[in-house]
Every structure is written in structure tokens, then in C-alpha cells.
């Protein structure tokens, strides 16, 4: 049985790798072929110089070439952790330390899970460093200093530990204390925790890393307040964020639910857009709010959470699964770690479905902005502006974007906006 489990996992693991790697290669070739023929949509040709297009192609290719190695590195890492004896080693270590030095219940499980998570975050440093300080820097996007980078990582680790350990403790306690329906109790707990995070992330955690301020006085602010009133959005939920301290990339987002909801515009976006364009971006974000996109995504996540915990409940005592990866007896904490390490090749195929829903939301929010402003031009101009300034890929391979993109391609979005008759 153990061999069968390992065989099935490795087959799906290889398939996932082939699809991921193959899509990246397809995308690389597609971008190069378009560049060779200078085939870009006319609305971009008019708004961007040849040098800017060349730059965006080089940026896309640099990221895709690096992705090859990052993909291979990430896969090798998972294989080493699963088959290199790390899990049994960590299990013995957590038993020694957790058993002898800590009287806290579930100390062993906490150390085991925390140890594996730490291995992953340390191992992800090389690829993260290269992409920040080599690729992003080469194209003028990186503004992060070493000091800030280090401070971010330490803060992230601290916040992750302070929130993660109590969370994990409750899950381990529920698994042990609530009998065979533990997974339903855990479902309610994790669901509640997710709701809490949707509220405290924008209001308490994100401000640890960035400054959020009311929009600067001026025409943009006045017109935004007017628009917010028209749409019925609470105006003290609109912020400018100092994104420029880490990166020259520009962006905007809508987050949170209830009283914690907020629209955030990066200072880089405010600086690079005309007032009309900035207003269009804000109208788009209000569209996400009005059309309840966060709520809909939460419902989808909750369904996946329920199904995931049900599957976990079937596997949690299944001895061959643990034996297949070198662990001599089942335990709740090892089940959690194994489940998260092994589920990737199975859940990989859900990614494009969620992206598809997200892309549908983006089309709807664009449409909302056009209808609210009664003018398609500012939204289109804002999109072209964002695309050009961020050197976004103008010609992704259709399979690649269908799989990986949470937003429709710039060309698709502009096309859809032009098809709306106001
Ligand atoms: Zn959006």
C-alpha cells in the first residue's frame, strides 16, 4: 500500500510539474514570437514607445527564465523534505524537545509544524532575494533596501508565529478533544478565524508594514468623496499607501468586510495617473464592494475548506499514509503537515477555476466603473497606463493566462470595455 501511495503522489506531482513548466515555456515562446513581428494591439501601440514595449518583453522573459529554475528548485525541495528523512528527524526532535522542556500540551505538534514551516520559509529566501534584488532591481522596480527587507522578514516571522501558534494549538486541541466529528468543529473554528483575519488584516496587520493615510487634499480626493457618496461607500475607508518604499509597481485594491472594508490606492498609482484615471480605478474598486465580490470569494473558500477538512478526516488515522513518508505512527500534527505537503498536485487543478471566477469579477468591476462614470475612456486609459508603467506582459499565451491570471489580460479588458455601449 505504501508503494502505491508514493507512486500515485509522484505521478501527480510529475504531471503538475510538466504542466507548470510547459505553460511557462509556451508563454516564453509566444512572447518572443510576438516581439519578433512587433504584433501588439493598436491601443497599446499608440500609447507606448517601442523602447517601452521592448522593456516589457525583456522583463517578461527575465521573469519566465527565472521561473524555470524556481520551479525546479521548489519541486526538489518538496521531494527532499518528503523523502530525505526530514520528517522523521523532525518528529524525533520535536518529541525530545517538546517532551522534556515544555509542559504545554501539544508542544510536540507545535514544534513539528513550526519546524517544517520554518524550513520552507528559509528555503524560499534564495528565490525571493534573486527576484527582488536582481530582476526587480534591473528593471528599476525595486526600492527595498537590505535593511527594510530584513526587517520585513523578521516582522513577518514574528506576526506569523504570534498568530499561527495559537491558531494551530486550537486546531490540535479540537482534533484531540472533540471526537470523530472534530473536523466539523475545526471547520467552524477555521471559518471564524478566516472572518476575523479578513477584518484584522487590513486594520491591524497591514499597517505594521505600510503607512495608510487619508488621500492627499486636492481634486482627486474631492471627486472621489463625491463618487463615494453617489455609490454609498463610507468615505473614511479610502486610503493612500506608501507602496513606493518597496517597489515602483503601482496598484490598488479593495479589502475587508463590514466596518473594516477599505479601498487602498498605492502612492505610486496616484502619482502616475491623471485625476480622471485615478477616479476610474477607484470606481472599479467600489464595483468590487457593490457587487459583493469578497463575500462571493469567501463562500467559495468556505466550500473548499469544508471539503478539505472532510478529506483530512478520512486520512488522519490511515497508517499506510504515514508509513509511506517514514513516520511510524499516525499523529494529528503530522497529518496536518503531510496533508498540506501532499495536497498540491491534487488541488492544482482548482487554481484555474478560482482564477476564472476572479477574472469574471474584474470584468464586472470594470463595467461598474464605466457605468458609474458614464464614460469608458478613463477606465481604458487607466488600464493602459497601469499596463505600460508596470511593464506587464502584453501578449501572454492564452493557456498561460487562463491558468495563472487572476485578472483578464490588458487586451481582454480593454476589448471588453470598448464593447460596452454607454
Ligand atoms: Zn479589480
Amino acid at each position: 500500500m505504501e508503494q502505491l501511495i508514493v507512486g500515485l503522489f509522484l505521478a501527480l506531482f510529475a504531471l503538475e510539474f510538466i504542466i507548470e513548466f510547459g505553460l511557462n515555456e509556451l508563454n516564453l515562446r509566444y512572447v518572443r514570437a510576438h516581439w519578433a513581428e512587433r504584433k501588439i494591439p493598436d491601443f497599446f501601440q499608440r500609447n507606448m514607445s517601442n523602447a517601452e514595449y521592448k522593456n516589457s518583453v525583456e522583463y517578461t522573459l527575465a521573469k519566465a527564465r527565472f521561473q524555470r529554475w524556481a520551479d525546479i528548485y521548489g519541486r526538489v525541495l518538496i521531494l527532499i523534505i518528503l523523502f530525505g528523512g526530514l520528517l522523521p528527524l523532525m518528529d524525533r526532535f520535536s518529541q525530545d524537545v517538546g517532551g522534556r522542556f515544555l509542559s504545554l500540551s501539544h508542544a510536540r505538534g507545535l514544534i513539528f509544524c513550526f519546524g517544517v514551516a520554518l524550513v520552507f520559509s528559509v528555503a524560499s529566501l534564495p528565490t525571493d532575494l534573486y527576484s527582488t534584488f536582481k530582476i526587480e532591481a534591473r528593471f528599476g522596480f525595486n526600492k527595498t533596501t537590505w535593511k527594510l527587507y530584513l526587517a520585513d522578514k523578521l516582522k513577518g516571522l514574528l506576526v506569523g508565529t504570534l498568530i499561527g501558534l495559537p491558531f494551530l494549538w486550537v486546531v490540535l486541541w479540537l482534533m484531540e478533544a472533540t471526537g470523530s466529528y472534530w473536523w466539523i468543529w475545526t471547520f467552524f473554528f477555521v471559518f471564524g478565524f478566516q472572518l476575523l483575519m479578513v477584518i484584522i488584516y487590513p486594520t491591524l496587520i497591514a499597517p505594521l508594514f505600510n503607512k495608510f493615510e487619508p488621500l492627499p487634499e486636492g481634486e482627486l480626493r474631492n471627486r472621489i468623496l463625491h463618487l463615494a457618496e453617489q455609490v454609498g461607500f463610507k468615505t473614511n475607508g479610502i486610503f493612500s499607501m506608501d507602496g513606493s518604499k518597496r517597489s515602483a509597481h503601482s496598484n490598488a485594491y479593495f479589502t475587508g468586510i463590514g466596518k473594516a472594508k477599505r479601498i487602498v490606492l498605492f502612492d505610486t498609482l496616484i502619482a502616475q495617473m491623471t485625476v480622471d484615471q485615478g477616479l476610474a480605478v477607484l470606481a472599479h474598486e467600489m464595483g468590487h464592494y457593490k457587487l459583493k465580490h469578497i463575500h462571493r470569494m469567501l463562500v467559495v473558500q468556505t466550500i473548499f475548506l469544508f471539503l478539505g477538512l472532510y478529506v483530512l478526516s478520512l486520512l488522519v488515522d490511515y497508517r499506510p499514509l504515514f508509513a509511506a513518508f517514514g513516520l511510524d505512527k499516525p499523529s494529528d500534527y503530522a497529518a496536518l503537515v503531510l496533508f498540506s505537503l501532499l495536497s498540491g498536485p491534487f488541488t492544482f487543478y482548482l487554481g484555474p477555476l478560482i482564477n476564472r471566477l476572479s477574472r469574471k469579477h474584474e470584468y464586472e468591476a470594470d463595467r461598474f466603473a464605466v457605468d458609474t462614470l458614464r464614460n469608458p475612456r478613463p477606465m481604458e486609459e487607466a488600464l493602459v497606463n497601469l499596463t505600460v508603467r508596470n511593464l506587464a506582459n502584453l501578449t501572454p499565451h492564452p493557456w498561460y493566462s487562463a491558468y495563472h491570471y487572476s485578472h483578464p489580460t490588458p487586451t481582454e479588458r480593454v476589448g471588453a470595455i470598448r464593447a460596452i455601449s454607454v
Side-chain angles (χ1 to χ4, degrees):
M1 201 59 206
E2 282 93 71
Q3 274 110 330
L4 198 68
I5 292 171
V6 170
L8 177 69
F9 170 73
L10 285 179
L12 284 169
F13 185 79
L15 184 65
E16 183 195 1
F17 175 68
I18 290 166
I19 293 174
E20 190 115 283
F21 201 86
L23 282 175
N24 192 40
E25 292 303 308
L26 273 181
N27 197 39
L28 253 166
R29 275 159 205 235
Y30 199 74
V31 171
R32 263 202 219 108
H34 278 78
W35 166 242
E37 295 176 30
R38 305 291 189 276
K39 271 206 303 205
I40 53 170
D42 64 333
F43 42 82
F44 284 107
Q45 253 159 17
R46 253 183 284 115
N47 290 293
M48 97 196 274
S49 67
N50 222 24
E52 281 171 323
Y53 177 38
K54 182 165 184 272
N55 230 357
S56 85
V57 169
E58 281 174 358
Y59 182 50
T60 303
L61 295 180
K63 284 194 294 184
R65 276 192 225 103
F66 175 62
Q67 194 56 42
R68 280 180 184 151
W69 299 106
D71 270 353
I72 294 173
Y73 173 75
R75 306 277 151 182
V76 170
L77 184 72
I78 292 188
L79 291 180
I80 289 176
I81 290 178
L82 282 174
F83 300 104
L86 190 96
L87 294 178
L89 189 82
M90 201 85 95
D91 195 22
R92 275 196 300 278
F93 173 78
S94 55
Q95 184 181 21
D96 290 348
V97 177
R100 272 182 220 156
F101 303 112
L102 289 165
S103 55
L104 178 72
S105 61
H106 302 295
R108 183 177 177 184
L110 293 178
I111 293 170
F112 184 79
C113 296
F114 185 76
V116 176
L118 198 64
V119 168
F120 268 101
S121 45
V122 171
S124 73
L125 277 178
T127 45
D128 192 46
L129 281 168
Y130 190 87
S131 102
T132 306
F133 291 101
K134 283 284 177 183
I135 299 178
E136 291 296 302
R138 183 178 142 205
F139 291 89
F141 286 123
N142 181 45
K143 304 290 171 210
T144 306
T145 58
W146 281 95
K147 218 172 112 183
L148 181 61
Y149 184 86
L150 202 68
D152 279 349
K153 291 289 158 190
L154 289 174
K155 237 189 270 177
L157 187 69
L158 193 70
V159 173
T161 309
L162 284 176
I163 296 175
L165 283 186
F167 169 79
L168 197 60
W169 187 89
V170 175
V171 170
L172 289 171
W173 176 77
L174 285 170
M175 288 177 88
E176 187 193 64
T178 56
S180 54
Y181 288 109
W182 66 266
W183 63 278
I184 295 190
W185 291 101
T186 305
F187 164 76
F188 284 116
F189 169 66
V190 178
F191 175 70
F193 177 81
Q194 274 179 341
L195 278 188
L196 184 72
M197 287 307 288
V198 172
I199 292 165
I200 69 167
Y201 186 83
T203 47
L204 294 176
I205 300 175
L208 297 174
F209 296 87
N210 280 99
K211 244 191 236 126
F212 293 83
E213 286 169 338
L215 292 182
E217 298 283 336
E219 195 195 344
L220 179 63
R221 182 184 152 89
N222 294 338
R223 289 181 57 190
I224 282 176
L225 294 185
H226 185 74
L227 182 73
E229 208 166 299
Q230 183 192 331
V231 175
F233 189 87
K234 195 172 49 90
T235 47
N236 58 4
I238 302 169
F239 292 87
S240 149
M241 187 192 97
D242 60 344
S244 58
K245 82 175 184 186
R246 292 193 186 80
S247 167
H249 279 298
S250 49
N251 209 346
Y253 64 86
F254 170 66
T255 182
I257 52 172
K259 282 207 166 76
K261 66 177 182 291
R262 42 176 70 184
I263 290 174
V264 175
L265 301 178
F266 284 32
D267 55 355
T268 41
L269 181 133
I270 296 171
Q272 83 188 37
M273 286 198 171
T274 65
V275 170
D276 279 330
Q277 293 169 3
L279 197 69
V281 169
L282 203 106
H284 168 101
E285 300 304 334
M286 283 182 182
H288 284 311
Y289 156 68
K290 276 303 227 188
L291 302 166
K292 302 209 176 302
H293 289 157
I294 294 226
H295 292 80
R296 282 203 248 162
M297 273 295 178
L298 267 173
V299 170
V300 175
Q301 272 176 20
T302 306
I303 294 169
F304 285 142
L305 173 69
F306 188 82
L307 295 176
L309 282 168
Y310 173 67
V311 174
L312 180 61
S313 78
L314 301 177
L315 298 173
V316 77
D317 291 319
Y318 188 55
R319 200 168 272 272
L321 177 72
F322 294 84
F325 298 96
L327 297 160
D328 29 304
K329 61 178 194 312
S331 62
D332 293 345
Y333 57 86
L336 291 177
V337 167
L338 273 182
F339 191 67
S340 52
L341 286 176
L342 301 177
S343 60
F346 295 87
T347 55
F348 177 65
Y349 307 92
L350 299 174
L353 291 178
I354 295 177
N355 280 337
R356 210 184 142 143
L357 177 63
S358 164
R359 290 196 298 264
K360 184 169 167 278
H361 290 168
E362 293 307 321
Y363 282 128
E364 289 173 2
D366 281 346
R367 196 188 173 106
F368 180 89
V370 171
D371 288 345
T372 307
L373 301 171
R374 293 200 193 89
N375 180 5
R377 294 291 299 170
M379 192 66 236
E380 176 180 330
E381 283 173 17
L383 279 172
V384 172
N385 185 336
L386 269 174
T387 306
V388 174
R389 294 297 189 92
N390 287 300
L391 299 180
N393 182 3
L394 294 181
T395 55
H397 191 282
W399 294 358
Y400 184 87
S401 58
Y403 224 99
H404 287 296
Y405 277 28
S406 62
H407 288 56
T409 68
T411 315
E412 287 168 340
R413 284 177 81 176
V414 174
I417 288 169
R418 290 195 169 181
I420 302 170
S421 50
V422 182

